[in-house]
Amino acid sequence: MRAGIGTPQNLNTTETISHIDRHFARMMQRLAGRENTLLVLAAKLVSSQTRAGHICLDLVDLTNREFLTESLGDDVTSDFPETAVDDLSAKLRETSVVGKPGDFQPLILDTNNRLYLNRYWQYQETLAQFVLARSTQSNRCIDTGAPRTLLDKYFPEEDDIWQKVAAAIALYKNFCVITGGPGTGKTSTVVKIIALLLEEIPDQRVVLAAPTGKAANRLQESIKFAKENLPCTDEIKAKIPDEAKTIHRLLGAIRHSPRFRHKTGNPLDADVVIVDEASMVPVALMAKLTAALPAHAKLILLGDHNQLASVEAGAVLADICGSGALNVYSSDFKAVLEKATGANLELCESPAPGIQDCIVQLRHNYRFGGKSGIMALSEAVNRGDVDLALEILQDDQYDDVHWHAADSNVLSTILGNFGDYGSSGSPADIFDRFKQFRVLCAVREGPQGIRVVNSKIEQFVRRKLVAKPDDRWYAGQPVLVSENDYDLNLFNGDVGIILRDADGNLMTFFQDHDRGFRKISPFRLPQFELAYAVTVHKSQGTEFEKVLLLLPEQDSPVLTRELIYTGITRAAKCVEILASEESLRAAVGRQTKRTSGLGDALWPS
């Protein structure tokens, strides 16, 4: 006899449903007080969907046999009755564990038939209320005549007009989003914005943050470099912050707890908070950050909304930017921006003030020239134009993009790039050489996954460096930290290289932009992995001269246009792609879909 939906026999055969999903579903049924097949199914799936990066479960998916087959297996879905979404919603609302928005039940079902874990509905609601409230606020401290003089000072007429518009929005609004691809000048724009704000109110406290330690270090390095060329006094330059923190560190992470010291009732001591690499921030962390901001504080988000979404639940930056046209503004604010910048701007379809007034997309690329294959390829991938992307990869006029068939033997190319990077030179020289090339993998496991690729590269490098196979550590070994250690000031994503110090001892060197390098014993390192090859996710916020992007031969849901776009744009000078045509077509044709109600809340139709 075939087992029914929700029974343990079926659940044990699935791959996407975990033990915690099963236990959660059983707990919901116990709390409901009676057996309910639909509730068990929905509870399992909303728990599983959240782990997979979605904020909620769209009940429409329960009527999709393909979705259920992928999520639960054919044997589970075959007995499931084809029921209308409204009927499913009504049956779930009858249970005592499913409430409407604002209720305290463990599951929340909204009016659009989206089912949430209560805490994720709370995260979404907190963030949506913050953005909607801040998007209609104007900074009344700034006189309407003053911005034009300041903006002309920092953004001369010949400069990128969209950078100037971004600065004007940041001056007028308490919420501002600056999005754009690599090389569009997001960091150079924001350092000018900081100087503008400090010229207006010199005693403002400006705070820099990023989702990872690696991104925070890169942000502070860029800020330090860019501020030296600003057309302002040394006094203003001195007030521009030199330090960027991870968001966790900024909020005051509490060990072994998802909570932070700074929250509603204990806000941050900040007037302006700037977050770089905002596409990497999940909904839970962004909600906790907004809850910790003082009522008067300004929040500026920097990022590329076309990049991969966060590893954890949500696609916050993409939801905030929406799916419509950017750089269009409401009637009244359009007039304000045009007066402040001298730009001729477009009017949005809805003339009422709203979130569109807070967003600007930088469009001029300063890194890639007009004949750049990397730029042409990334734009084609971003649009989902598979045929054009393949044409660019095969076009001889582009010498900065190369495509190898899946059966090509490129191991020699990989090994050649890593051959002697760590054999000699100062730590600075070795780090510079290591940054010139990186292998990016789409997956962790399998022949094209980082575990196998790292192992193959390491075998070669050990022989090249005459390191014994059984030595745990060797000079030239690159490591990628995979968990935060606040005592050592090491964070997920930090890259170090094991080298010999002046006394001949093996130490892990980490770049420190204040002191040059920090040295930590390898035995004290938190959890880490080899860093010859990294996942595309881990590569976000970094740049390499040359990149080799490896795609698995077998198709996978993780292969999306956002992943390809992100991998391509990590390269400054050259990108090589090792993939079959089938894998490339599938990936570029597949767009990441993160189920969420945030976009609808921010962009009501």
Side-chain angles (χ1 to χ4, degrees), residues 152-168:
D152 286 345
K153 173 183 175 181
Y154 284 91
F155 301 91
E157 292 295 335
E158 64 271 14
D159 277 14
D160 187 343
I161 191 60
W162 293 117
Q163 292 187 3
K164 195 173 188 178
V165 171

Side-chain angles (χ1 to χ4, degrees), residues 13-14 47 71 103 129 134 139 175 219 237 269 312 316 353 361 374 458 469 531 549 564:
T13 65
T14 66
S47 176
S71 301
D103 289 345
Q129 288 183 1
R134 297 296 175 102
N139 191 334
F175 178 67
L219 174 61
K237 291 179 183 179
D269 180 17
E312 297 175 49
V316 173
Q361 182 177 29
I374 295 175
E458 187 184 41
L549 177 61
I564 304 298

Side-chain angles (χ1 to χ4, degrees), residues 165-420:
V165 171
I169 293 173
L171 285 173
Y172 278 105
K173 294 288 187 179
N174 275 348
F175 178 67
C176 174
V177 177
I178 304 174
T179 182
T184 52
K186 296 185 293 292
T187 306
S188 61
T189 300
V190 84
V191 75
K192 294 178 182 179
I193 290 173
I194 296 172
L196 283 166
L197 294 171
L198 291 172
E199 288 215 29
E200 285 285 337
I201 308 175
D203 60 348
Q204 289 190 91
R205 176 167 159 71
V206 181
V207 174
L208 306 175
T212 67
K214 177 174 57 179
N217 285 336
R218 190 170 181 217
L219 174 61
Q220 69 183 25
E221 182 181 13
S222 299
I223 293 289
K224 286 180 182 179
F225 176 79
K227 75 177 183 179
E228 295 305 320
N229 298 315
L230 291 175
C232 61
T233 65
D234 290 341
E235 183 180 1
I236 293 294
K237 291 179 183 179
K239 291 179 179 293
I240 296 175
D242 285 334
E243 182 184 18
K245 299 180 179 180
T246 64
I247 300 175
H248 286 81
R249 187 178 172 200
L250 174 67
L251 294 178
I254 300 173
R255 192 180 295 273
H256 307 306
S257 171
R259 297 180 175 85
F260 296 96
R261 288 192 293 274
H262 291 291
K263 53 189 176 180
T264 303
N266 183 32
L268 292 164
D269 180 17
D271 302 299
V272 181
V273 175
I274 297 169
V275 179
D276 195 16
E277 298 292 347
S279 64
M280 299 170 64
V281 184
V283 65
L285 187 57
M286 190 68 83
K288 292 172 184 179
L289 173 64
T290 57
L293 291 179
H296 71 279
K298 187 187 298 288
L299 177 63
I300 300 174
L301 302 180
L302 309 177
D304 184 351
H305 71 289
N306 293 314
Q307 276 191 22
L308 280 168
S310 55
V311 175
E312 297 175 49
V316 173
L317 188 62
D319 283 341
I320 290 175
C321 291
S323 57
L326 297 178
N327 296 1
V328 293
Y329 302 98
S330 66
S331 178
D332 289 346
F333 196 56
K334 172 178 175 287
V336 171
L337 290 177
E338 288 180 338
K339 181 179 179 181
T341 64
N344 184 20
L345 303 176
E346 291 185 45
L347 184 68
C348 66
E349 292 181 5
S350 174
I355 186 174
Q356 73 277 353
D357 289 340
C358 302
I359 304 171
V360 64
Q361 182 177 29
L362 304 184
R363 293 175 174 172
H364 181 76
N365 198 296
Y366 295 90
R367 180 184 301 173
F368 304 117
K371 297 182 179 180
S372 167
I374 295 175
M375 184 172 176
L377 180 60
S378 64
E379 290 177 347
V381 168
N382 194 26
R383 293 194 301 269
D385 193 333
V386 182
D387 292 331
L388 179 58
L390 292 173
E391 182 181 323
I392 292 168
L393 284 168
Q394 298 174 85
D395 195 329
D396 292 337
Q397 72 169 311
Y398 297 115
D399 59 3
D400 57 345
V401 292
H402 305 280
W403 176 29
H404 305 279
D407 57 355
S408 298
N409 181 14
V410 296
L411 184 59
S412 58
T413 300
I414 297 175
L415 299 180
N417 281 283
F418 283 117
D420 60 357

